[in-house]
Amino acid sequence: MCSEDNGRSLLQCGLKSLLENNLVSTEKENLPLATLGEPLTDDRRSTALHCVEIEVLRILRQLVNGEVMELSVPKVTKWDRNLAPVTAPDSECAVSRVRYDVPASRHKFTVIVLLLSRVHRQLNERASGTRRRMYYEDVTFLKSQREVDDAALSVSRVLRLPPWHLGLLATAKGLVAGDLTITTADGEVLDCSNKPGGVLIPGDVCAVQSVRSSARFILVLEKDTVFQRVLQEGILDRLGPCIVITGKGYPDVSTRALLSRLEAELRLPMLAVMDADPHGVHIMCVYRFGTRTCPLALPSLRWLGVLPSELSSLGLRSAPLTPKDLVLTRALLDKKCLSDAHGIRAEIETFLTVRQKGEVDALLDISPCYITDVYLPNKIAAAHVL
């Protein structure tokens, strides 16, 4: 009992240190969250409908006047505080022209117009739909899911509105478990503390009305296999109260949006555990710094492990880097977002030195409960993060 109490005390000290030294202020960093997670109000729906109708009328005017039908898709230069794309002034260098009279872009033009019609219908019906469902509804016409995803991004840029205000949702795949209660806009209450295997994160980022938790920290895991394993090992009891989340690989917008909401409202230490390979580091960067197409960043997220340098120090099972791994490693070192992250860069450079990679699962070779009983509590207690 004394040993357990001492362990919990050390864990609490580590979390306190992380909170004081590593948790950055989110007041300015998370300005894009101004409307994220809020219900799609009548005013926002009316604005979106108006934008769609203006764009469709513009196309119809081109058709009636015998002009070439074309769409001007802005090239995003930054994003505003509502996560809507902000573009440079309209010019040839600021937009991509999608013309119906050009065979190479005719299909793309048609797909974008198709999505505009779907968006208009959904907004009128006060509904939303996943891009996956849209693909299967017209699978004979649409060439691939990627085509639908690209067209949805183009629609968002053309209308200068975020996808979730248009009902263009990605299929949710992330899971959450632990001390968290989510209330949706329609009154549904999701208790994440008592469902084996975790709760599916809501796909509609505007449907999360409120979140409530007494957790001490948030653990972000790269893979579902590790997520399920630590739940089976009793992480919620051993290290809790805490929140555990996985995006099952590269995270979808819904997972990142929920984490952003939790970061802004709960202001807890947020710790990432990824594979010690270039893809794991890249996934960590997606969470922490966002992406060009959706800049949802988590400035307070810290990389807890597994660090490339730990493969040797812990004697973990590893494998040689592939040529593709080396290409990604060099690409990571070229990222501007990592230019000042010296600790992260040093770990990435380790790949080029040792030419080895490893997985979180390798920790289980030491002991079946090593992750929850030893690795996580010791790393947190030492506040050893990047």
Side-chain angles (χ1 to χ4, degrees):
M1 178 64 71
C2 292
S3 177
E4 183 177 341
D5 290 343
N6 185 52
R8 284 191 170 272
S9 177
L10 290 173
L11 187 70
Q12 188 61 39
C13 288
L15 290 170
K16 182 178 179 181
S17 176
L18 288 171
L19 191 62
E20 292 174 349
N21 300 324
N22 294 311
L23 184 61
V24 303
S25 172
T26 58
E27 293 179 1
K28 294 182 180 179
E29 295 285 352
N30 273 339
L31 279 179
L33 290 169
T35 63
L36 182 59
E38 294 181 7
L40 185 57
T41 62
D42 288 342
D43 286 344
R44 293 191 185 119
R45 184 177 290 105
S46 177
T47 297
L49 272 170
H50 179 71
C51 290
V52 173
E53 290 166 357
I54 290 296
E55 187 60 32
V56 172
L57 285 173
R58 190 187 63 78
I59 297 172
L60 289 175
R61 192 175 297 114
Q62 291 173 341
L63 179 63
V64 170
N65 293 339
E67 301 171 357
V68 173
M69 290 188 295
E70 72 171 18
L71 289 160
S72 299
V73 182
K75 295 179 179 178
V76 175
T77 56
K78 61 179 180 177
W79 295 67
D80 73 6
R81 67 194 303 271
N82 297 326
L83 278 183
V86 176
T87 61
D90 287 342
S91 66
E92 291 298 326
C93 65
V95 299
S96 172
R97 306 288 181 183
V98 183
R99 296 166 59 104
Y100 184 77
D101 66 329
V102 176
S105 65
R106 181 176 299 162
H107 184 74
K108 181 177 181 179
F109 178 96
T110 308
V111 173
I112 293 174
V113 173
L114 174 64
L115 258 64
L116 283 170
S117 70
R118 294 287 180 81
V119 167
H120 190 268
R121 185 183 69 189
Q122 289 183 167
L123 290 170
N124 269 317
E125 296 175 352
R126 296 174 175 271
S128 61
T130 65
R131 301 196 290 266
R132 189 72 173 166
R133 190 186 75 185
M134 292 178 184
Y135 168 62
Y136 280 112
E137 286 178 349
D138 283 288
V139 70
T140 55
F141 172 70
L142 299 168
K143 296 177 180 178
S144 66
Q145 181 65 55
R146 176 64 180 272
E147 184 178 65
V148 178
D149 294 339
D150 290 345
L153 181 60
S154 294
V155 169
S156 176
R157 289 175 173 177
V158 167
L159 302 179
R160 292 175 170 81
L161 291 170
W164 38 87
H165 283 183
L166 304 173
L168 296 172
L169 309 177
T171 303
K173 66 187 181 81
L175 296 172
V176 57
D179 192 321
L180 178 66
T181 302
I182 301 172
T183 303
T184 64
D186 59 7
E188 182 183 6
V189 178
L190 302 176
D191 184 354
C192 304
S193 65
N194 58 8
K195 188 172 182 180
V199 173
L200 186 67
I201 293 172
D204 187 352
V205 296
C206 291
V208 178
Q209 189 173 67
S210 65
V211 293
R212 188 172 70 254
S213 175
S214 58
R216 297 187 296 173
F217 67 96
I218 300 169
L219 184 65
V220 182
L221 300 174
E222 175 186 348
K223 299 188 297 189
D224 182 41
T225 53
V226 177
F227 176 85
Q228 300 298 337
R229 183 58 184 254
V230 297
L231 289 183
Q232 293 170 9
E233 290 177 7
I235 187 174
L236 302 182
D237 294 324
R238 299 184 188 214
L239 302 182
C242 62
I243 299 170
V244 186
I245 289 180
T246 179
K248 296 183 179 180
Y250 282 92
D252 56 12
V253 171
S254 302
T255 301
R256 293 163 59 197
L258 177 62
L259 282 166
S260 293
R261 184 75 178 269
L262 297 179
E263 177 185 59
E265 296 191 19
L266 303 182
R267 300 181 62 78
L268 295 172
M270 189 177 295
L271 309 171
V273 175
M274 309 282 154
D275 283 342
D277 63 20
H279 287 282
V281 179
H282 190 209
I283 291 171
M284 184 274 295
C285 289
V286 169
Y287 277 113
R288 182 160 169 175
F289 303 107
T291 64
R292 181 184 61 83
T293 55
C294 186
L296 270 173
L298 298 169
S300 70
L301 181 134
R302 292 295 177 264
W303 186 16
L304 185 72
V306 173
L307 304 180
S309 60
E310 291 177 325
L311 294 177
S312 174
S313 62
L314 294 176
L316 299 180
R317 168 171 40 92
S318 62
L321 292 178
T322 66
K324 289 185 177 180
D325 289 330
L326 291 172
V327 170
L328 179 55
T329 298
R330 295 187 178 96
L332 287 169
L333 290 172
D334 288 337
K335 283 186 172 293
K336 292 182 179 178
C337 61
L338 294 176
S339 59
D340 295 326
H342 303 298
I344 296 176
R345 288 183 63 85
E347 289 292 336
I348 296 173
E349 288 169 352
T350 301
F351 287 130
L352 299 178
T353 303
V354 302
R355 302 289 175 120
Q356 294 286 310
K357 62 181 179 180
E359 298 182 341
V360 177
D361 310 66
L363 293 169
L364 300 174
D365 294 344
I366 302 175
S367 166
C369 296
Y370 188 81
I371 296 176
T372 52
D373 284 358
V374 181
Y375 185 78
L376 290 177
N378 284 345
K379 293 273 291 198
I380 295 173
H384 183 200
V385 296
L386 297 175

